[in-house]
């Protein structure tokens, strides 16, 4: 594979190098590309069906839909019930994933946990279940590939940053880059919760540093500070996602001072529906 390209931005007087994983593919990009790398390389004959579950704004959902379309696998996706607003959205990840052939199943709240826990019961050989957000050991190989690309960059930078949801990306990247610092931020819940999720997968290495905001930012809730950072970056001609990236950038600006390589984690396709929600705020 050809390494993803590099760009640079100057933000608040500081230069940052950006690893443009967002440019890998329109839908199957960013860290979802890295996390699904093993499946992307899997011959299409290996499976006939992929099953997953999680949020309906999710970038992982869209990446899986794109993967299944390419592989000609059917894609079943389980979620909690959708709001009417979301069902009607003509843009954003949900609409895109449906257009790529995703079969969507809404599970009532009271049965959701049970249903998800039962997805692996009586699985046949030709079906694969991918956990929420693609959080699995499956992610390791693709992130090792990213680590190799980072080591080949001709630069003295030894600090990289990427935002966390489940923490899978930051964790496997830190494990594959012991000679680098890997900064991340908890987007969903606090640092303690993020560490719990990471520990389910592997021991957390010392070079992984979680930068935590003083204030809580509810996941997915539009806020002015995030929008300002998004706009500033857009003025540098790079679009970042509105869910994860703004907090990571804010923490880097406030809590670090050394040169940093930012790993663009993708997710820009979700901005259309997020920007709709931002309209009320701006
Ligand atoms: C999914 C996602 C993340 C979080 O990745 P994890 O491996 O779950 O921590 C970060 N940024 C973007 C844009 C994403 O889509």
């Amino acid at each position: 594979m050809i390494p993803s390209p590099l760009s640079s931005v100057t933000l608040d007087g500081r230069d940052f190098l950006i690893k443009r994983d967002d440019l890998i593919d329109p839908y199957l990009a960013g860290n979802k590309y890295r996390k699904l790398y093993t499946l992307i390389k899997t011959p299409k004959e290996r499976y006939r069906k992929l099953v997953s579950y999680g949020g309906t704004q999710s970038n992982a959902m869209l990446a899986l839909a794109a993967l299944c379309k390419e592989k000609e696998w059917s894609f079943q996706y389980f979620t909690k019930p959708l709001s009417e607003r979301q069902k009607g959205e003509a843009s954003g990840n949900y609409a895109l994933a449906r257009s790529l052939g995703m079969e969507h199943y809404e599970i009532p709240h009271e049965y959701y946990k049970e249903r998800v826990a039962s997805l692996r019961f009586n699985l046949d050989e030709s079906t694969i279940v991918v956990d929420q957000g693609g959080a699995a050991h499956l992610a390791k190989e693709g992130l090792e590939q990213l680590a190799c690309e980072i080591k080949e960059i001709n630069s003295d930078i030894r600090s990289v940053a990427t935002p966390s949801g489940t923490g899978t990306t930051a964790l496997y990247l830190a494990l594959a880059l012991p000679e680098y610092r890997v900064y991340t931020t908890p987007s969903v819940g606090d640092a303690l919760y993020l560490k719990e999720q990471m520990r389910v997968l592997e021991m957390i290495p010392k070079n992984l540093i979680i930068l935590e905001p003083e204030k809580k930012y509810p996941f997915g809730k539009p806020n002015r500070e995030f929008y300002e950072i998004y706009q500033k970056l857009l003025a540098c001609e790079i679009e970042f996602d509105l869910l994860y990236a703004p907090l990571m950038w804010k923490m880097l600006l406030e809590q670090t001072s050394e040169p940093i390589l930012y790993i663009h984690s993708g997710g820009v396709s979700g901005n259309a529906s997020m920007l709709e929600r931002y309209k009320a705020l701006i």
Side-chain angles (χ1 to χ4, degrees):
M1 181 208 158
I2 305 162
S4 66
L6 295 167
S7 302
S8 56
V9 298
T10 305
L11 198 65
D12 293 2
R14 275 175 71 184
D15 295 329
F16 293 88
L17 202 58
I18 320 278
K19 179 93 172 129
R20 300 297 303 276
D21 278 6
D22 56 314
L23 300 178
I24 293 174
D25 178 89
Y27 302 141
L28 190 45
N31 66 2
K32 302 307 181 291
Y33 173 86
R34 302 292 182 181
K35 286 162 74 168
L36 296 173
Y37 183 70
T38 303
L39 277 180
I40 293 168
K41 282 196 337 185
T42 301
K44 62 166 78 161
E45 298 74 33
R46 174 66 189 82
Y47 299 108
R48 294 222 316 269
K49 182 163 83 185
L50 188 151
V51 179
S52 188
Y53 58 92
T56 44
Q57 306 273 4
S58 152
N59 297 321
M61 171 193 71
L62 180 60
L64 286 171
L67 170 75
C68 289
K69 170 126 183 134
E70 196 184 297
K71 298 284 184 189
E72 298 169 31
W73 298 339
S74 67
F75 175 35
Q76 297 186 337
Y77 193 69
F78 293 84
T79 73
K80 290 177 184 165
L82 238 66
S83 69
E84 286 307 313
R85 174 180 59 74
Q86 254 208 307
K87 274 188 199 163
E89 268 170 10
S91 62
N93 288 348
Y94 179 70
L96 282 169
R98 288 299 298 261
S99 77
L100 292 169
M102 176 178 78
E103 298 163 29
H104 174 222
Y105 300 93
E106 289 173 84
I107 312 297
H109 288 275
E110 59 271 35
Y111 304 125
Y112 184 74
K113 254 188 147 161
E114 224 177 305
R115 188 72 188 86
V116 161
S118 72
L119 289 175
R120 285 195 169 83
F121 292 174
N122 300 319
L123 268 195
D124 62 86
E125 277 272 291
S126 65
T127 303
I128 181 169
V129 178
V130 175
D131 284 315
Q132 176 155 18
H137 297 91
L138 198 64
K140 196 172 173 198
E141 186 185 4
L143 287 156
E144 285 172 353
Q145 169 71 27
L146 172 59
C148 285
E149 291 179 26
I150 291 170
K151 286 182 202 169
E152 278 165 19
I153 296 171
N154 187 11
S155 145
D156 298 331
I157 298 179
R158 287 294 172 270
S159 296
V160 304
T162 200
S164 279
T166 62
T168 312
T169 303
L171 177 64
Y172 284 119
L173 193 59
L175 285 166
L177 287 175
E179 61 279 58
Y180 289 68
R181 261 181 225 217
V182 175
Y183 288 114
T184 194
T185 45
S187 309
V188 189
D190 58 10
L192 208 65
Y193 176 67
L194 178 59
K195 282 187 198 161
E196 268 173 32
Q197 283 188 292
M198 289 177 173
R199 279 199 201 101
V200 173
L201 298 171
E202 304 274 348
M203 286 252 287
I204 302 172
K206 285 211 169 59
N207 62 321
L208 178 62
I209 300 160
I210 299 176
L211 303 176
E212 201 173 21
E214 281 166 24
K215 199 175 111 184
K216 281 210 159 69
Y217 295 90
F219 187 60
K221 186 168 178 245
N223 89 71
R224 210 171 289 273
E225 274 179 274
F226 285 5
Y227 189 71
E228 278 166 19
I229 294 175
Y230 165 81
Q231 285 293 344
K232 267 194 208 172
L233 289 160
L234 205 56
C236 301
E237 292 177 359
I238 303 185
E239 185 171 15
F240 285 85
D241 85 284
L242 279 156
L243 278 177
Y244 298 94
L247 181 63
M248 183 79 250
W249 279 106
K250 185 174 154 64
M251 293 301 99
L252 290 176
L253 292 171
E254 290 177 2
Q255 299 184 23
T256 68
S257 53
E258 79 269 35
I260 283 171
L261 170 69
Y262 188 103
I263 316 297
H264 196 314
S265 50
V268 176
S269 60
N271 283 354
S273 53
M274 276 304 283
L275 284 168
E276 276 300 312
R277 301 174 55 201
Y278 264 89
K279 272 186 188 160
L281 194 84
I282 306 149

